[in-house]
Amino acid sequence: MRVLIVEDEKRLALSLARGLTAEGFAVDVVHDGRDGLHRATEGSYDLIVLDIMLPGMNGYRVCSALRAAGDETPILMLTAKDGEYDEAEGLDTGADDYLTKPFSYVVLLARVRALLRRRTRGGAAVLRVGGLTVDPAARQVTLDGREVALTAKEFAVLEYLAVRAGEVVSKAEVLEHVWDFAYEGDVNIVEVYVSALRRKLGSAAIATVRGAGYRLVRNGA
C-alpha cells in the first residue's frame, strides 16, 4: 500500500515515514500544501496523511480540492489544533479521520489500517485467493491453514498482488505501490521478492506473464 505524508514538521514527517516503511508501506513525503496537492493528483495513493497547518496551501484547502476533483483517497488529517469546530471543519471538507497532535504512533498506525480496511474491496479486511489468505489488519498470511512468515516488503508485494488477484500486474505497478516515489534502483528488485514469495508459497502461486508482469493465480491453476 502506498501512503503520501504531507507534513511541514520535517522531524515528525521523517519519523512517520520510517515507522510506516518498517510496516511495509511505500511512503512519499512532501512538506508543502501545494506540493502535496500536486503529488496526490499526479500519483496513485491508497491513503494520505495530511497536516492542516501547511505552507503554500492549508490542509483544509488541499482536502477540499481533492474531493472537488473526485479523488476519494482516504485522508487522515493531523493538526495541533484541538477543538470540536476544527475537527468538524476537517471532516466537512472531506477528511475521513482526524488526529490531534501530539498523538501516539500506535494510534496513528491503527487509524491508518482502519482506513485502508474500509478502502480495500469495499471494506473486505481479508483477501482470499484459493487456499491463500492475506489479512492486512493482522499482517498475516496463511496457505491451506498454515501460517507463512513474510518480511514486511514481501507482505506488501503479496498484498498488492492479492488485491489484483487474477489480473496481470506489471513490475512498474508493483514498484509504484510498494516502493516509494524516490526509488531509483533496478526494477528487477521486484523479481527478487517474487522469487522469495514463490519459495514460501509454491512456484505455481505467482505466474509470470512474459513481457507483461505477474499474476497471483487463483486456486493454484
Side-chain angles (χ1 to χ4, degrees):
M1 294 290 181
R2 192 172 180 190
V3 177
L4 174 64
I5 296 175
V6 188
E7 168 61 67
D8 64 329
E9 294 183 39
K10 295 184 179 180
R11 290 181 63 183
L12 174 59
L14 180 59
S15 177
L16 293 179
R18 284 176 174 168
L20 292 173
T21 298
E23 294 290 329
F25 295 99
V27 183
D28 295 332
V29 178
V30 293
H31 306 294
D32 177 276
R34 293 187 187 280
D35 291 342
L37 179 60
H38 175 74
R39 186 67 61 86
T41 302
E42 295 297 317
S44 177
Y45 293 96
D46 298 288
L47 184 137
I48 300 170
V49 178
L50 177 65
D51 188 30
I52 290 180
M53 302 302 290
L54 292 166
M57 176 184 288
N58 69 40
Y60 294 135
R61 293 176 59 198
V62 172
C63 182
S64 180
L66 289 172
R67 296 303 188 237
D71 190 324
E72 298 181 353
T73 304
I75 294 176
L76 172 60
M77 275 194 163
L78 305 179
T79 181
K81 295 183 176 182
D82 61 349
E84 60 181 17
Y85 294 108
D86 298 317
E87 179 174 354
E89 185 174 357
L91 296 174
D92 283 345
T93 59
D96 297 273
D97 203 352
Y98 187 102
L99 202 53
T100 302
K101 301 175 185 176
F103 52 81
S104 161
Y105 172 73
V106 173
V107 172
L108 177 132
L109 182 59
R111 298 283 186 90
V112 165
R113 287 177 172 167
L115 289 174
L116 289 174
R117 283 198 299 273
R118 294 179 207 168
R119 179 178 175 85
T120 303
R121 291 195 169 184
V126 178
L127 304 169
R128 293 185 174 86
V129 185
L132 180 69
T133 299
V134 181
D135 187 339
R139 311 296 285 178
Q140 185 178 57
V141 173
T142 59
L143 179 63
D144 297 327
R146 173 181 58 86
E147 186 170 351
V148 180
L150 299 181
T151 67
K153 193 64 75 176
E154 288 169 354
F155 184 92
V157 172
L158 179 61
E159 181 183 14
Y160 185 62
L161 292 176
V163 168
R164 301 277 303 277
E167 302 177 23
V168 177
V169 182
S170 69
K171 289 181 184 178
E173 288 176 305
V174 176
L175 281 173
E176 180 180 359
H177 284 269
V178 179
W179 276 263
D180 62 41
F181 182 81
Y183 179 76
E184 296 180 349
D186 190 343
V187 296
N188 290 324
I189 188 66
V190 177
E191 293 181 11
V192 174
Y193 283 93
V194 168
S195 294
L197 288 170
R198 284 173 173 156
R199 286 195 297 271
K200 296 181 177 182
L201 303 175
S203 59
I206 303 174
T208 297
V209 180
R210 190 174 297 277
Y214 304 100
R215 182 177 65 245
L216 188 62
V217 180
R218 295 180 183 274
N219 301 319

